[in-house]
Amino acid sequence: MAVGILGKKLGMTQVFDEAGNAIPVTVVQAGPCVVTQIKTSDTDGYAAVQLGFDEVTEKKLNKPELGHLARSGSAPLRHLKEYRVDAADGFELGQTVTAETFSQGQLVDVTGKSMGRGFAGYQKRHNFRRGPMAHGSKNHRLPGSTGAGTTPGRVYPGKRMAGQMGNARVTIRKLEVVRVDGDRNILLIKGAIPGKPGGLLSIAPAQWVNA
Amino acid sequence: MNAEEIIRSIEAEQIKTDLPTIYVGDTIRVGVRIQEGGKERIQPYEGTVIAMRNGGINRSITVRKIFQGVGVERVFLVHAPKVASIAVLRRGKARRAKLYYLRDRVGKATRLKQRFDRPIN
């Protein structure tokens, strides 16, 4: 458990490494973030650090939000996110977190909201195969069978069907930080990242899950 | 600085400005950096440009040549550090953007007419 950073996806490009290989990278505006609240187990029952990102004008926020941010003395911020930590030592209210908390070569988990595809059918959502388009077939994009008949008399839960696709929270794990630009708070992260340019991202050091 | 400008500024560090103007149909010589047991040398590769893709930092050319009777095509990212140099040897006359039809031809039929209205360099 470590404190990450909030950021905005800017777009993709490629860079060349020392060996001359082209590496696809996503450019991310990471921070600067402000520590807006520190939670400890005494006061809140658990330890966490709340970060704010993306400065906006005062009229974009309501009074309770402004009051909360006034405690840390920060400017009005659009986004707030909490990161659970073991102990919130070393953090103080109003402190800024910049892209330099990450180093080149580090592995990170990136969380964002995937592009929405709306109510998608079987082919698009689950890669079902299509029926024949000709020879009198009327089964073009239908699902086929959804299970047996009278026994069990119901469709099993988890049966893949049409429905909302995308516009969901997605985490891509263990992406490499290719470059850190401390002056402009820019991270170059290898590979693709969920969402469109302009989307809000949370970038945290990679969490290792034992298999 | 907006997102577009930031991305352009990252690419600008690696975009080569000293490249010659290349057209489809030209015969060119590409100097390719290769590593051999810790030593680096530049290997020339000569052929005809049969396709080009303009995409900023992703700009690439496809160069075709016949080597020992076998057609060889290599795609180069022209801005890559592996491409040490590009020299235009001959300007060719091509009436299309992609010369894939050359793949189906052998011998004399693969020749392109030279054009003299475009200066080499």
Side-chain angles (χ1 to χ4, degrees), chain A residues 37-64:
Chain A
Q37 192 183 0
I38 292 167
K39 294 189 173 181
T40 59
S41 44
D42 302 337
T43 54
D44 302 273
Y46 63 99
V49 173
Q50 189 189 68
L51 296 185
F53 172 66
D54 201 359
E55 228 170 274
V56 289
T57 57
E58 212 165 286
K59 68 171 185 177
K60 294 267 185 193
L61 302 185
N62 61 25
K63 268 189 178 173

Side-chain angles (χ1 to χ4, degrees), chain B residues 21 27 29 33 55 57 62-63 66 72 74 76 82 88 95 101 110 115 120:
Chain B
T21 325
T27 305
R29 185 187 290 138
R33 279 204 181 91
I57 186 104
T62 306
V63 185
I66 306 292
V72 179
R74 286 186 74 174
F76 295 103
K82 268 185 185 167
V88 179
R95 297 183 63 147
Y101 68 90
T110 61
R115 63 186 297 165
I120 292 175

Side-chain angles (χ1 to χ4, degrees), chain B residues 95-110:
Chain B
R95 297 183 63 147
R96 37 199 113 267
K98 307 281 185 242
L99 308 183
Y100 296 141
Y101 68 90
L102 291 179
R103 291 170 176 169
D104 305 325
R105 299 198 174 176
V106 285
K108 280 187 178 180
T110 61

Side-chain angles (χ1 to χ4, degrees), chain B residues 58-121:
Chain B
N58 196 27
R59 184 168 185 220
S60 70
I61 51 173
T62 306
V63 185
R64 179 178 171 88
K65 72 167 179 183
I66 306 292
F67 181 70
Q68 293 178 353
V70 182
V72 179
E73 277 180 24
R74 286 186 74 174
V75 181
F76 295 103
L77 288 166
V78 296
H79 293 293
K82 268 185 185 167
V83 174
S85 65
I86 297 178
V88 179
L89 308 178
R90 183 178 183 270
R91 297 284 186 199
K93 192 177 261 180
R95 297 183 63 147
R96 37 199 113 267
K98 307 281 185 242
L99 308 183
Y100 296 141
Y101 68 90
L102 291 179
R103 291 170 176 169
D104 305 325
R105 299 198 174 176
V106 285
K108 280 187 178 180
T110 61
R111 289 173 306 171
L112 292 171
K113 253 191 187 164
Q114 189 168 4
R115 63 186 297 165
F116 298 95
D117 54 339
R118 285 174 182 159
I120 292 175
N121 344 309

Side-chain angles (χ1 to χ4, degrees), chain A residues 134-186:
Chain A
H135 301 294
S137 163
K138 291 174 181 177
N139 169 26
H140 301 315
R141 297 178 71 90
L142 297 174
S145 168
T146 55
T150 315
T151 314
R154 63 191 171 95
V155 176
Y156 284 130
K159 176 71 203 153
R160 292 174 297 168
M161 288 192 172
Q164 169 67 33
M165 183 181 176
N167 197 21
R169 188 187 137 100
V170 174
T171 303
I172 309 282
R173 295 178 54 217
K174 293 186 202 167
L175 296 174
E176 189 188 330
V177 176
V178 176
R179 199 184 294 169
V180 180
D181 185 340
D183 304 335
R184 294 188 291 179
N185 280 305
I186 284 176

Side-chain angles (χ1 to χ4, degrees), chain B residues 4-73:
Chain B
E4 179 80 9
E5 286 166 357
I6 290 170
I7 292 172
R8 292 286 161 265
S9 71
I10 291 165
E11 290 172 351
E13 295 162 21
Q14 293 182 312
I15 282 189
K16 296 176 190 169
T17 49
D18 54 345
L19 289 169
T21 325
I22 304 165
Y23 298 93
V24 169
D26 293 355
T27 305
I28 62 167
R29 185 187 290 138
V30 184
V32 190
R33 279 204 181 91
I34 51 169
Q35 292 273 351
E36 269 181 344
K39 270 205 289 185
E40 195 188 75
R41 66 185 188 88
I42 291 172
Q43 187 184 55
Y45 179 88
E46 210 175 298
T48 314
V49 179
I50 63 160
M52 209 157 64
R53 196 168 64 161
N54 294 316
I57 186 104
N58 196 27
R59 184 168 185 220
S60 70
I61 51 173
T62 306
V63 185
R64 179 178 171 88
K65 72 167 179 183
I66 306 292
F67 181 70
Q68 293 178 353
V70 182
V72 179
E73 277 180 24

Side-chain angles (χ1 to χ4, degrees), chain A residues 42-202:
Chain A
D42 302 337
T43 54
D44 302 273
Y46 63 99
V49 173
Q50 189 189 68
L51 296 185
F53 172 66
D54 201 359
E55 228 170 274
V56 289
T57 57
E58 212 165 286
K59 68 171 185 177
K60 294 267 185 193
L61 302 185
N62 61 25
K63 268 189 178 173
E65 286 167 336
L66 287 170
H68 173 70
L69 291 171
R71 287 186 132 201
S72 59
S74 74
L77 300 166
R78 192 190 297 272
H79 305 291
L80 296 176
K81 185 181 163 61
E82 207 174 277
Y83 290 94
R84 289 285 288 263
V85 287
D86 294 328
D89 307 332
F91 287 96
E92 51 186 88
L93 281 179
Q95 182 190 343
T96 38
V97 179
T98 63
E100 276 171 333
T101 49
F102 295 96
S103 55
Q104 196 174 333
Q106 190 181 354
L107 295 182
V108 291
D109 292 347
V110 181
T111 306
K113 196 166 239 189
S114 62
M115 281 190 217
R117 260 92 184 176
F119 192 99
Y122 300 84
Q123 276 77 35
K124 197 184 183 80
R125 191 166 183 236
H126 298 298
N127 302 319
F128 278 28
R129 252 157 284 185
R130 155 169 81 56
M133 296 307 282
H135 301 294
S137 163
K138 291 174 181 177
N139 169 26
H140 301 315
R141 297 178 71 90
L142 297 174
S145 168
T146 55
T150 315
T151 314
R154 63 191 171 95
V155 176
Y156 284 130
K159 176 71 203 153
R160 292 174 297 168
M161 288 192 172
Q164 169 67 33
M165 183 181 176
N167 197 21
R169 188 187 137 100
V170 174
T171 303
I172 309 282
R173 295 178 54 217
K174 293 186 202 167
L175 296 174
E176 189 188 330
V177 176
V178 176
R179 199 184 294 169
V180 180
D181 185 340
D183 304 335
R184 294 188 291 179
N185 280 305
I186 284 176
L187 292 178
L188 300 193
I189 298 172
K190 183 175 174 179
I193 279 172
K196 282 195 172 188
L200 179 71
L201 301 170
S202 164

